[in-house]
Amino acid sequence: MIVDLIEALYRLLWGDLFTLPVAGGIGISFMVVLLFAAGIGFTLRTRLLPVRLFRDMIGAVCEKKQAAGGLSSFQTLVISTATRVGMGNLVGVVAAVSAGGAGAVFWMWVTALLGASTSFVETTLAQKYRVPDPLYGGWRGGPAYYLHVLAERKRGKKLRRSVCAALFAVSGLICWCGISQVISNSVSSAFENAFHVPPLATTVVLTLLAALIVLRKNATVKSLDFIVPVMAVCYFVITVGIVVLNFRQLPAGGFGAVLMNGVKRGLFSNEAGSGSAPCAAAAAECDDPVKMGLVQALGVLIDTVVICSCTAFLMLLVPQEITAGLTGMDLLQTAMQYHLGSFGIVFIAVILALFSFSTFLGVLYYARGNVAYLCGDNWWSQTAYKLLALAMLLVGGTQAYTVVWDLGDVGIGLMTIFNMIALYPLSGEAMDALNDYEKRKKLQ
């Protein structure tokens, strides 16, 4: 019964809502409609913010922390990048390019520009409506908190909990538990292919290492500060080197599969609109919510335009006869073996492990504010959720339960819906903040 309900919700959110009668039929899901419409609307209202204010994005990332406690702008970018840059940047992009060809890359870029504007709005609101965090110090916030504010305005009184805010928090916690299983299953499979290590051994080591970090109070951010820049730079340098040496071999693709595979991968990889990244952005010590909105807009571009494109170009430079019939991680490892020999298989296994492990640490950081919203300020609830996520990490490495993967997708779909309930009515405040920022900038 529960399994049937999860699968029905998955089909409702991610299945084809309707089919466009072009290029042999293009299936459009409800989530694509929701996210694409929001991206277009917010991009127009911010007057193409990702292009106009790109220099401001870079400047905001480089700003020093304004006060003791909390996170710097760069640290929040690192945490959000840790969760955005994950398995989807590797295996997901492989699937998109396999179906859509070179043109899928262009549509991924278009989607990133739209998603950056959505990310700006949700992050600015998260900064504006953050609250003090008595457990970890600094601040916490996210969609659950600005949904709560919206509910209080609608009801005209103070509330202990808001239904929509609580549903967002629960959806997020469900999603992030599902991601835990996907992470360990992917890493254990990659290490088995590359090093012939039994999945159980990989999973136990991965879980113990994760436990040593997440069960300590301040170890998560410190670990991500090291892991994320190292993995991103290594992957970027090696892939760009391959692309530069083989650029003339890049092919072209056909419109139908190109359009939707590029759009879907861009939307789902950068997480703009899902409400995940604002959970970290709210913790930043920043003198202007707009600046943090610009930081997270840059994070969307880094994820899709840089990291996803690296994977896409790697795939496009491999002769089709070599990868024919292959899918997923096997396809990606075969492509890297073509470029780098046996080192390619090892490289992808290690990079996937770093991408996935950093995602796990990042989502547990996101979970802090949502657990606190539901259960209050206490250590038992924080620790209980961490132990649950670690248990899912341990189980996922040895067993692949498709229903749990679907549950994670349902979770992020529901998060997006509840987030949008607040984004549209509150977006005017983000626009006012942006206009005020630009006015002050002109006077400087």
Side-chain angles (χ1 to χ4, degrees):
M1 180 66 180
I2 296 178
V3 172
D4 292 339
L5 177 61
I6 292 171
E7 291 178 348
L9 284 172
Y10 176 83
R11 289 192 297 270
L12 178 64
L13 295 171
W14 300 106
D16 291 344
L17 183 64
F18 59 90
T19 302
L20 291 178
V22 295
I26 303 175
I28 308 292
S29 72
F30 173 71
M31 294 308 301
V32 167
V33 172
L34 184 64
L35 289 169
F36 211 58
I40 292 173
F42 293 138
T43 299
L44 293 174
R45 292 181 67 186
T46 59
R47 305 182 305 282
L48 204 57
L49 176 143
V51 177
R52 287 193 309 110
L53 299 178
F54 184 76
R55 290 181 61 184
D56 294 65
M57 294 180 192
I58 302 297
V61 171
C62 297
E63 283 200 353
K64 294 182 179 180
K65 188 163 59 174
Q66 300 295 322
L71 304 179
S72 67
S73 297
F74 180 74
Q75 285 176 316
T76 61
L77 178 65
V78 164
I79 294 171
S80 61
T81 301
T83 56
R84 288 188 175 116
V85 178
M87 189 178 63
N89 296 79
L90 300 178
V91 181
V93 173
V94 167
V97 174
S98 298
V105 180
F106 170 77
W107 288 104
M108 278 168 28
W109 293 345
V110 171
T111 305
L113 290 174
L114 300 179
S117 299
T118 303
S119 185
F120 167 81
V121 173
E122 62 183 354
T123 302
T124 301
L125 292 174
Q127 266 278 310
K128 184 174 181 179
Y129 293 110
R130 63 185 182 172
V131 299
D133 187 345
L135 285 180
Y136 293 95
W139 303 88
R140 66 168 182 251
Y145 293 83
Y146 54 72
L147 274 163
H148 184 90
V149 170
L150 181 62
E152 288 186 334
R153 290 180 183 175
K154 296 287 186 181
R155 299 280 296 276
K157 63 179 181 179
K158 287 289 183 181
L159 300 173
R160 185 177 180 184
R161 298 284 188 279
S162 156
V163 174
C164 277
L167 288 174
F168 172 87
V170 170
S171 299
L173 298 180
I174 290 172
C175 170
W176 298 325
C177 261
I179 288 174
S180 300
Q181 191 195 43
V182 176
I183 285 169
S184 57
N185 190 267
S186 301
V187 174
S188 61
S189 298
F191 270 58
E192 185 176 25
N193 291 338
F195 307 112
H196 306 292
V197 178
L200 180 60
T202 301
T203 305
V204 169
V205 172
L206 186 69
T207 305
L208 289 175
L209 184 59
L212 287 174
I213 295 174
V214 302
L215 294 177
R216 295 173 61 191
K217 183 178 178 180
N218 295 314
T220 297
V221 175
K222 293 178 181 178
S223 300
L224 290 175
D225 280 347
F226 173 75
I227 294 173
V228 173
V230 169
M231 73 178 188
V233 170
C234 287
Y235 189 64
F236 178 75
V237 169
I238 288 183
T239 52
V240 167
I242 293 172
V243 170
V244 169
L245 293 174
N246 301 275
F247 187 75
R248 293 183 178 180
Q249 300 177 31
L250 291 177
F255 180 76
V258 162
L259 173 63
M260 283 321 299
N261 281 284
V263 167
K264 286 180 180 179
R265 182 44 43 204
L267 289 174
F268 305 155
S269 175
N270 61 52
E271 297 183 354
S274 71
S276 295
C279 296
E285 290 290 350
C286 188
D287 61 354
D288 190 332
V290 169
K291 292 181 180 179
M292 188 48 50
L294 294 172
V295 168
Q296 292 304 321
L298 180 63
V300 171
L301 301 181
I302 291 173
D303 170 84
T304 307
V305 176
V306 179
I307 304 297
C308 285
S309 296
C310 285
T311 305
F313 288 139
L314 284 177
M315 294 305 306
L316 293 170
L317 292 168
V318 180
Q320 292 185 355
E321 59 269 18
I322 293 178
T323 56
L326 299 178
T327 59
M329 186 52 61
D330 290 337
L331 176 56
L332 181 57
Q333 288 185 318
T334 300
M336 287 303 293
Q337 185 177 25
Y338 170 80
H339 291 301
L340 301 174
S342 58
F343 173 73
I345 298 177
V346 174
F347 175 72
I348 283 297
V350 173
I351 284 294
L352 177 66
L354 291 175
F355 279 19
S356 300
F357 189 64
S358 66
T359 297
F360 180 77
L361 299 181
V363 296
L364 280 188
Y365 188 91
Y366 288 170
R368 290 180 180 181
N370 291 277
V371 171
Y373 182 81
L374 293 170
C375 304
D377 296 309
N378 53 73
W379 286 112
W380 70 262
S381 59
Q382 296 285 337
T383 304
Y385 184 77
K386 291 176 182 177
L387 292 174
L388 174 61
L390 288 167
M392 294 291 283
L393 193 69
L394 183 61
V395 171
T398 55
Q399 298 289 332
Y401 297 106
T402 304
V403 66
V404 178
W405 295 24
D406 289 347
L407 185 61
D409 287 336
V410 167
I412 198 169
L414 293 175
M415 286 170 64
T416 304
I417 291 172
F418 295 126
N419 190 33
M420 289 299 171
I421 289 175
L423 285 193
Y424 281 107
L426 293 177
S427 60
E429 297 181 25
M431 301 306 147
D432 290 341
L434 177 60
N435 292 333
D436 181 63
Y437 167 82
E438 295 195 81
K439 288 177 182 178
R440 286 186 280 111
K441 181 183 170 184
K442 290 180 181 178
L443 295 175
Q444 292 177 352

